Amino acid sequence: MLVFWKQRLVMLMVPKTGTSAYEAALGHHASMVVNDPPELKHAPVYRYNRFFRPMFERVGGADLELLAVVREPISWLGSWYRYRQRDFLDGRKTSTRGMTFDEFCQAYARGDRPPFANVGSQAKFVEPRPNGVAITHLYKYENQSGLLDFLEDRLSMKVDLPRENVSPRRATELSPETEEKLRRKCAEDFAVWDRAL
């Protein structure tokens, strides 16, 4: 999470949407950087609302706007699948080594996800709260130029993004049946991505 206090902006870090690159590029310009533990670095709207918002409001931050980035859902799952192929996860329950992307997505589309496919939901991450706390600026990961234009304008600076935390290349083909199942079971994730800028 990056907090730009003077610019009245909080960037929530949806996992697997280029957040490491944005943290590297913008972290030294932020008023506050939350980069550990992962549960706070990647705090979704509900966690921001519960823990961070009350603290910020007490010190004059009632008007902070929230920014988040979402990725096309199949591409997002592909990034998770490739990330969990890394050597440091080999032998753990969260590793995807030895399985196809299709198998990973079939497991993700189940109601009871096994540990390797339990990667959350972008729609849940950005879900508005009953008290009205919601994402103010929602961008598609695939619209990097629009996101950069917004950030450069809002922060009054040039943003140079490094390549960070890039997952290894792997085949990520899906059968038509698996893709249809994902689109049906994860319809909210596709809808959130569709309405992002």
Side-chain angles (χ1 to χ4, degrees):
M1 178 189 304
L2 298 176
V3 179
F4 302 96
W5 190 259
K6 290 178 183 170
Q7 296 85 1
R8 316 312 283 167
L9 184 69
V10 177
M11 186 173 188
L12 299 184
M13 303 298 207
V14 181
K16 312 315 290 170
T17 62
T19 55
S20 294
Y22 279 96
E23 184 181 323
L26 300 173
H28 58 285
H29 297 286
S31 307
M32 182 172 150
V33 178
V34 180
N35 58 14
D36 247 337
E39 293 81 9
L40 294 182
K41 173 184 178 175
H42 297 293
V45 172
Y46 76 84
R47 196 168 289 139
Y48 169 84
N49 182 56
R50 183 171 179 196
F51 298 109
F52 293 96
R53 181 196 52 78
M55 175 180 63
F56 293 156
E57 285 186 354
R58 283 197 173 95
V59 292
D63 60 342
L64 291 172
E65 296 178 1
L66 299 181
L67 164 68
V69 178
V70 290
R71 190 170 182 166
E72 190 282 326
I74 294 172
S75 173
W76 183 73
L77 288 171
S79 186
W80 272 114
Y81 167 75
R82 292 189 314 275
Y83 176 79
R84 290 188 165 193
Q85 296 267 315
R86 291 183 174 187
D87 290 339
F88 78 93
L89 290 173
D90 197 23
R92 296 186 186 179
K93 292 179 180 181
T94 52
S95 175
T96 56
R97 192 166 284 186
M99 72 181 65
T100 67
F101 181 53
D102 202 275
E103 291 168 330
F104 171 76
C105 288
Q106 282 286 344
Y108 181 80
R110 288 182 9 203
D112 183 24
R113 295 176 182 146
F116 65 82
N118 193 13
V119 296
S121 158
Q122 294 180 100
K124 280 290 189 197
F125 190 103
V126 301
E127 184 176 58
R129 305 314 304 148
N131 66 351
V133 172
I135 298 296
T136 318
H137 308 281
L138 185 64
Y139 279 87
K140 287 182 167 97
Y141 168 85
E142 294 78 8
N143 181 15
Q144 291 294 314
S145 62
L147 175 59
L148 283 170
D149 286 348
F150 170 80
L151 285 168
E152 288 179 350
D153 181 61
R154 186 67 175 257
L155 304 178
S156 301
M157 61 177 280
K158 178 78 175 135
V159 179
D160 292 312
L161 279 184
R163 286 183 56 82
E164 297 279 333
N165 198 23
V166 179
S167 297
R169 294 195 176 274
R170 296 286 186 270
T172 54
E173 288 82 30
L174 285 181
S175 68
E177 296 78 19
T178 300
E179 182 171 343
E180 186 280 326
K181 185 176 184 180
L182 278 176
R183 290 185 180 278
R184 183 171 35 86
K185 296 265 192 168
C186 307
E188 289 180 15
D189 289 289
F190 286 93
V192 162
W193 183 78
D194 282 341
R195 71 174 176 262
L197 299 172

